[in-house]
Amino acid sequence: MSPRLPRRDFLALGAAAAVVPLLPRRVFAASPTGTGLHGLSAFGDLKYGPDFKNFDFVNLDAPKGGTFNFSPPNWVLNQSPLTFNTLNTFVSRGDAPPRMGLCYDSLMTSALDEPDAIYGLLAHSVTISDDRNSFDFALRSEARFNDGTPFTAEDAAYALTLFKKDGHPSLLLPLSHLVEAKALDAHTLRISFDGKQSDRTVLDIATFPIPAKSFFEANPFDASQMKAPLGSGPYKVGRVSPGQTIEYERVADYWGRDLPVNRGLYNFDRIRIEFYQDRQAAFEAFKKGDIAYRQEFTSRIWATGYDFPAFTSGKVVKREFPGEKRPMMQATAINQRRERFRDPRVRRAMALCFDFEWTNRNLFYGAYQRSQSTFEKSTYRAEGLPSAAELALLEPFRGRIPEETFGEAVLQPPSDGSGRDRKLLGQASKLLADAGWARKDGSLRNTKGEPLTLEVLVDDDSFVRVYSPWIENMRTIGIDASIRMVDATQYQARQTSFDFDAISTAASFSATPSRDEIDGFFHSRAANMQGSTNLPGTADPAIDALVDAVGAAKDREALTVAMRALDRALRARLDWIPNWFSANHRAAFWDMFGYKEPKPDFGFPVEAMWWFDKDKAARIGKT
């Protein structure tokens, strides 16, 4: 299951990661006002000074050239890896292709070897007002769109205003406290907030992709666009076959190619994505060499499928790369917009029917670990009993959130590995009975005589295979459970409009999550905002308050406390049924690329960091 990325990954170089203990603690509010800053960071000092030449994780000698044809392992906004019917990635409707962000620059961009630092891209500096509610971005006079027209502050002001009004929820939500985005002159942009924003809101907004004002003055801001909005980024859209193929062409005279934040990056002449609605078809294309790079998310194929000639002859490399130091969640959302799923006992009963131990052994070849936390693989994962600081945040909500929140952090119990653990299924049956569901005519019904039904929505037959044992266990205890597989377009449309009972997702969060970032997943303001990632429809004032506490954190210690308290409450509510995760990237690629090791800790955008190696390609006949 490929993950969605945080907003700061728009250019495939997003911020993220866990705590870096060697960085001195410094509150964002301690950043000086009234002076131009070349970079911003939430809590830590910047690694790179004003005169830095390049990021340490790049190879300055990487050659330019070649084509990188790959299967994207992650995406953002309205993007889909299975099909596309629009080239406007800024709206909630439609399916855009992954990596549209490569076509657009942002005011600032992130370093992959720091947890949350951003540095000037379109802007060479930013000045914070004395009240810290306004930010003046000094734009580079040399910045150009890819048709040669100048990039101005008017473009940025127009885009942010448009996003606040009609943008995708991932753009709209962080802008909720924006008062004004204004061009003071051609090269000075001021963004002003109402004082209710999080200290870290600007870190998100400064990394938003900025299209040209002229494009949307002449074209509607909707999903009807199969013409790419004009950008200023290192790539532009080339050949397009809707729903099948897209190529991004490197802009040879890209205005920002020699900036310190870009040197050594964006080395391929073309980045090509081909779309397959069937995973096996995509794998067959890889085996033939039509796709050159993929990350493997099907453990069965990873364990048994790499016996084809190109691999056995050494033309294809199969290896693991370390995962990023950033929190992630992989889980199934149960849609509480439907009344029958609002009782946490019902959701808990459904979770008890999933036998991870049997699934991991028989279907996953032991490749995964059981996911437990909303923020797995990070210091934000709650462990054991709550600390005094966590309790201080949680106590005001005692009686209004599940009592389990105040005990040991909730864990999904291990099964006996039989595939049908009678003890756990018995517990599930009791929970459903306590919630008012009784057996009648072989199925569970409530006092109104309505059956307890659950349809799991999937878009690939591999999930049919994985979820079928879970479905059978639920049917055993009387739940009328089923799987519905739909095509990619219908899947995206139903997810956007919350037209499902249950749906699974994987999400990767930034290393220093902001309130704006997690709003979309957990806050009530996103519960009925179509296209948001609040898939379960969580709308709980206690959760809202804990999300706000995350945004109000003034140092990393306070952030960690707030995140752990939020994790405890979410795990006790079980809006999301956690399933499984892998600690590393399982990557396979034709051996014709160069890359620098070790990879940076906080991101893995191979299409931006790697390069085409002519000598390697010649050795395997891929010139």
Side-chain angles (χ1 to χ4, degrees):
M1 189 181 297
S2 309
R4 290 180 176 271
L5 292 172
R7 283 185 295 271
R8 292 176 215 159
D9 280 357
F10 281 124
L11 299 180
L13 290 174
V19 178
V20 176
L22 296 180
L23 290 178
R25 283 186 190 159
R26 203 170 101 183
V27 182
F28 177 74
S31 298
T33 61
T35 186
L37 305 173
H38 74 290
L40 297 172
S41 176
F43 303 129
D45 288 340
L46 299 172
K47 173 181 177 180
Y48 298 98
D51 299 322
F52 81 102
K53 303 301 182 184
N54 57 268
F55 290 135
D56 291 342
F57 53 82
V58 302
N59 175 15
L60 291 179
D61 297 322
K64 306 294 185 184
T67 297
F68 189 66
N69 189 342
F70 80 126
S71 295
N74 40 46
W75 50 91
V76 295
L77 300 175
N78 67 346
Q79 297 168 12
S80 169
L82 302 178
T83 189
F84 68 99
N85 48 40
T86 181
L87 295 179
N88 183 0
T89 192
F90 307 111
V91 293
S92 60
R93 294 289 183 178
D95 304 301
R99 301 305 182 264
M100 282 298 299
L102 290 167
C103 301
Y104 306 99
D105 281 329
S106 52
L107 297 171
M108 306 182 83
T109 192
S110 305
L112 294 179
D113 51 355
E114 296 182 83
D116 51 39
I118 58 175
Y119 296 89
L121 178 50
L122 286 166
H124 62 75
S125 66
V126 57
T127 301
I128 306 172
S129 66
D130 289 341
D131 66 3
R132 302 186 182 277
N133 288 329
S134 294
F135 299 81
D136 288 357
F137 291 88
L139 305 184
R140 299 182 192 273
S141 59
E142 67 270 29
R144 294 287 186 275
F145 286 105
N146 289 329
D147 66 350
T149 58
F151 182 99
T152 71
E154 264 312 317
D155 292 290
Y158 182 88
L160 294 177
T161 303
L162 188 62
F163 294 164
K164 176 180 171 68
K165 181 175 181 290
D166 295 317
H168 186 280
S170 291
L171 300 169
L172 188 155
L173 285 169
L175 292 165
S176 58
H177 295 295
L178 179 74
V179 172
E180 185 180 36
K182 181 180 180 181
L184 301 184
D185 57 47
H187 298 115
T188 309
L189 169 74
R190 173 171 294 171
I191 60 175
S192 303
F193 299 97
D194 60 11
K196 298 178 182 178
Q197 77 282 359
S198 165
D199 283 345
R200 301 186 296 282
T201 295
V202 69
L203 299 181
D204 286 324
I205 294 175
T207 55
F208 281 2
I210 306 294
K213 174 183 177 181
S214 60
F215 180 88
F216 285 116
E217 285 183 323
N219 296 276
F221 187 65
D222 59 27
S224 66
Q225 295 300 319
M226 281 305 296
K227 177 183 178 183
L230 178 63
S232 62
Y235 287 86
K236 62 183 178 180
V237 172
R239 189 167 73 86
V240 171
S241 177
Q244 298 179 26
T245 306
I246 186 167
E247 286 188 356
Y248 299 104
E249 298 176 351
R250 186 167 61 84
V251 178
D253 59 349
Y254 169 46
W255 75 272
R257 63 187 178 276
D258 294 323
L259 294 179
V261 294
N262 287 332
R263 296 185 69 206
L265 297 170
Y266 310 120
N267 301 309
F268 295 106
D269 281 345
R270 283 171 300 281
I271 295 173
R272 178 182 173 91
I273 301 172
E274 297 185 27
F275 294 77
Y276 299 88
Q277 295 197 21
D278 179 82
R279 289 194 180 201
Q280 188 59 41
F283 184 54
E284 293 300 322
F286 173 73
K287 288 161 64 174
K288 292 188 298 182
D290 293 339
I291 294 174
Y293 175 94
R294 63 185 266 119
Q295 287 189 41
E296 187 56 71
F297 297 101
T298 304
S299 53
R300 174 179 54 85
I301 292 178
W302 187 253
T304 66
Y306 285 81
D307 56 357
F308 51 94
F311 178 74
T312 57
S313 66
K315 294 181 179 181
V316 167
V317 177
K318 174 190 175 189
R319 61 163 290 185
E320 294 190 9
F321 291 90
E324 283 69 66
K325 296 178 179 178
R326 60 199 299 172
M328 61 86 64
M329 175 181 69
Q330 189 155 318
T332 300
I334 307 298
N335 190 355
Q336 294 167 52
R337 299 170 188 87
R338 300 186 174 171
E339 185 177 355
R340 62 189 182 277
F341 303 129
R342 291 175 189 165
D343 192 318
R345 292 171 294 188
V346 172
R347 303 192 295 273
R348 194 168 299 122
M350 292 172 173
L352 288 170
C353 292
F354 177 65
D355 192 327
F356 169 77
E357 284 70 26
W358 184 92
T359 302
N360 195 38
R361 186 179 70 249
N362 291 279
L363 301 181
F364 292 159
Y365 298 84
Y368 290 105
Q369 299 175 48
R370 181 66 189 267
S371 183
Q372 297 284 2
S373 170
T374 320
F375 309 115
E376 201 64 70
K377 300 198 303 183
S378 76
T379 57
Y380 306 133
R381 170 178 166 151
E383 302 278 2
L385 292 170
S387 66
E390 291 170 55
L391 282 174
L393 291 177
L394 295 170
E395 281 293 351
F397 307 107
R398 191 180 286 272
R400 290 187 281 163
I401 57 178
E403 190 61 27
E404 293 89 343
T405 306
F406 300 93
E408 297 274 347
V410 171
L411 298 175
Q412 299 305 303
S415 75
D416 61 10
S418 66
R420 187 165 294 187
D421 188 316
R422 292 179 178 273
K423 179 182 176 182
L424 296 184
L425 295 180
Q427 292 175 12
S429 293
K430 184 178 186 305
L431 284 167
L432 292 172
D434 292 345
W437 296 91
R439 283 267 193 175
K440 186 177 181 181
D441 300 327
S443 63
L444 289 169
R445 296 180 180 272
N446 61 16
T447 55
K448 299 177 184 178
E450 299 167 333
L452 180 54
T453 61
L454 176 79
E455 180 185 270
V456 180
L457 188 68
V458 302
D459 61 356
D460 190 276
D461 60 5
S462 64
F463 293 115
V464 175
R465 173 174 170 266
V466 169
Y467 288 138
S468 288
W470 183 34
I471 296 297
E472 288 305 311
N473 277 343
M474 285 192 281
R475 294 183 70 85
T476 295
I477 64 171
I479 300 173
D480 184 7
S482 61
I483 300 175
R484 172 68 64 87
M485 189 172 79
V486 298
D487 63 36
T489 300
Q490 187 178 357
Y491 183 88
Q492 184 84 343
R494 289 184 63 175
Q495 176 175 291
T496 297
S497 61
F498 309 124
D499 182 16
F500 56 82
D501 290 346
I503 194 170
S504 294
T505 193
S508 184
F509 300 97
S510 299
T512 308
S514 66
R515 180 184 64 199
D516 308 299
E517 179 184 348
I518 61 177
D519 258 5
F521 284 89
F522 311 121
H523 201 286
S524 60
R525 68 170 60 95
N528 293 307
M529 185 181 290
Q530 292 199 356
S532 84
T533 45
N534 187 344
L535 300 179
T538 304
D540 184 332
I543 298 297
D544 291 351
L546 292 171
V547 169
D548 291 341
V550 170
K554 297 300 183 183
D555 56 41
R556 195 171 293 280
E557 182 178 357
L559 175 68
T560 301
V561 167
M563 289 287 287
R564 288 176 179 173
L566 176 62
D567 186 37
R568 289 181 187 279
L570 290 168
R571 287 160 67 176
R573 283 181 54 91
L574 210 62
D575 299 336
W576 303 81
I577 297 176
N579 45 41
W580 57 83
F581 74 94
S582 175
N584 298 318
H585 296 288
R586 297 182 304 210
F589 50 94
W590 285 73
D591 193 14
M592 55 184 183
F593 303 115
Y595 48 91
K596 185 174 181 178
E597 294 196 89
K599 63 173 282 296
D601 285 338
F602 309 137
F604 193 44
V606 293
E607 68 277 13
M609 296 192 304
W610 288 20
W611 60 90
F612 181 73
D613 188 314
K614 291 182 179 180
D615 293 337
K616 285 185 176 182
R619 285 197 291 269
I620 64 171
K622 286 282 187 179
T623 54

